[in-house]
Amino acid sequence: MSRPGAVEASQPDAGVAAHYGDPLREQRLLAGGTAVVDLSHRGVVTVAGEDRLNLLNTLSSQLLLDLKPGQSRETLLLTLQGRIEYDARIIDDGDTSWLIVESFEAEGLAAWLTSMKFMMRVEAVDATDRWAVVGAAAAQPGFEGRLGWQDPWPEIGAGGYAYTGIDEPEHPGRDLTWFEYLVPADELEDTLAGRELAGVWAAEALRIAAWRPRFGLETDEKTIPHELDLLRTAVHLAKGCYKGQETVARVHNLGHPPRRLVFLQLDGSQHTLPDAGSEVRLGERTVGRVTSAAQHYEMGPVALAVVKRSVDPAAQLVVVDGDESYDASQETIVAPDAGKVVGRPTGLLRGPR
């Protein structure tokens, strides 16, 4: 926030810059790999001890026992009903597992992991005050010695499953490679000195265009992973038992997720954006809510929304935010018939590798 022109973002990104005076230029530079974004408001949880991967593997949706130093994965911690409680980006350095999370997750996650370790040799610590995160859309020169998490999205991980129903080479997430580097908080200013900076608005626009869900925005207290296509990167369908696994397996094998994530191309004639939480309507009926919206440097106003599974993928929708309304063309992210793979003809959705 000390850089000239910095304008502070609102929640959930308060504490860092939304932009530095020219959001679309910043977005172009970020997309091209020549700018970085200050994500120092992100939470960081460290899990040390020789039993750390065993504990994390036991509690979460991802297979982590084989995680090698420097490898990046995503994992979820679920409720008994299979609803997403925490979403963690994880990288291990050989001694410590580093979990990058949203700012509001860190304290509760560290406390919960501590409460669940029992006799395991593990120490979980909320290290948010000592570590900062820097985001980038390309590997950064000069960051070679820093621990950096690389987003696996949209690759279908081992044991994963895609709910999109499109040919994988067409997935727009393939246009974005995303890194989150860990930097000691007291070195952040020196680390960013001399580098082009982009605000979080730029990062959010690229994320939305890549169909990448974000915890706390695309999720609510009822969200299950299937609704957001998170089985592709954050769930291993063949691993052992963990809390919430029964719901994950039941919906995947025998049912359908009740809601689905969609991408919306918005009418830009108002020169404004709808707020998160704005209604998505089909005719006079409310069928969902906008979860994220941004101005993309090439596509104009775009959004992610979660809608009822029954919504016709070809239907023209309208987003309503108070007195403003926005015509919205939808692109299917999670297919309406996703799930219920038992008895499904092969080739319709991408299965586990």
Side-chain angles (χ1 to χ4, degrees), residues 236-255:
H236 194 295
L237 291 167
K239 68 163 284 189
C241 184
Y242 57 91
K243 189 168 71 169
Q245 183 192 29
E246 183 178 348
T247 296
V248 170
R250 183 172 64 249
V251 174
H252 179 63
N253 291 313
L254 303 174

Side-chain angles (χ1 to χ4, degrees), residues 13-211:
D13 294 316
V16 296
H19 63 86
Y20 297 89
D22 194 345
L24 295 184
R25 174 183 175 275
E26 295 165 26
Q27 195 179 142
R28 291 188 187 95
L29 293 175
L30 183 63
T34 57
V36 298
V37 57
D38 177 3
L39 300 176
S40 57
H41 63 311
R42 289 274 169 86
V44 177
V45 174
T46 59
V47 186
E50 57 187 280
D51 295 330
R52 65 191 182 282
L53 292 179
N54 189 24
L55 175 68
L56 293 169
N57 185 78
T58 299
L59 298 177
S60 74
S61 61
Q62 186 58 270
L63 181 63
L64 299 173
L65 292 176
D66 62 345
L67 186 66
K68 302 293 190 297
Q71 287 184 335
S72 301
R73 289 190 189 161
E74 179 183 17
T75 193
L76 306 174
L77 290 97
L78 309 175
T79 68
L80 286 171
Q81 295 77 30
R83 296 166 180 169
I84 302 174
E85 199 163 25
Y86 296 101
D87 183 343
R89 311 158 183 86
I90 180 170
I91 185 169
D92 196 88
D93 65 9
D95 296 308
T96 300
S97 294
W98 299 77
L99 279 59
I100 301 173
V101 296
E102 298 296 333
S103 58
F104 58 86
E105 293 181 272
E107 182 178 1
L109 178 57
W112 189 73
L113 291 173
T114 297
S115 73
M116 296 299 294
K117 71 177 185 178
F118 301 109
M119 299 299 292
M120 289 187 179
R121 291 156 293 186
V122 170
E123 182 182 15
V125 176
D126 178 2
T128 304
D129 60 341
R130 300 198 302 275
W131 290 88
V133 178
V134 175
Q140 291 298 298
F143 280 22
E144 293 84 0
R146 299 197 181 275
L147 197 62
W149 177 82
Q150 182 174 353
D151 192 354
W153 187 269
E155 296 294 335
I156 305 171
Y161 205 99
Y163 270 33
T164 45
I166 63 171
D167 290 336
E168 282 301 302
E170 299 175 7
H171 196 294
R174 296 187 179 279
D175 295 332
L176 176 65
T177 301
W178 188 251
F179 297 85
E180 294 186 358
Y181 291 96
L182 288 158
V183 177
D186 58 4
E187 297 179 12
L188 178 63
E189 189 169 340
D190 289 342
T191 298
L192 297 181
R195 294 182 182 269
E196 290 277 3
L197 289 184
V200 291
W201 281 6
E204 283 296 280
L206 299 183
R207 177 185 69 82
I208 291 168
W211 297 0

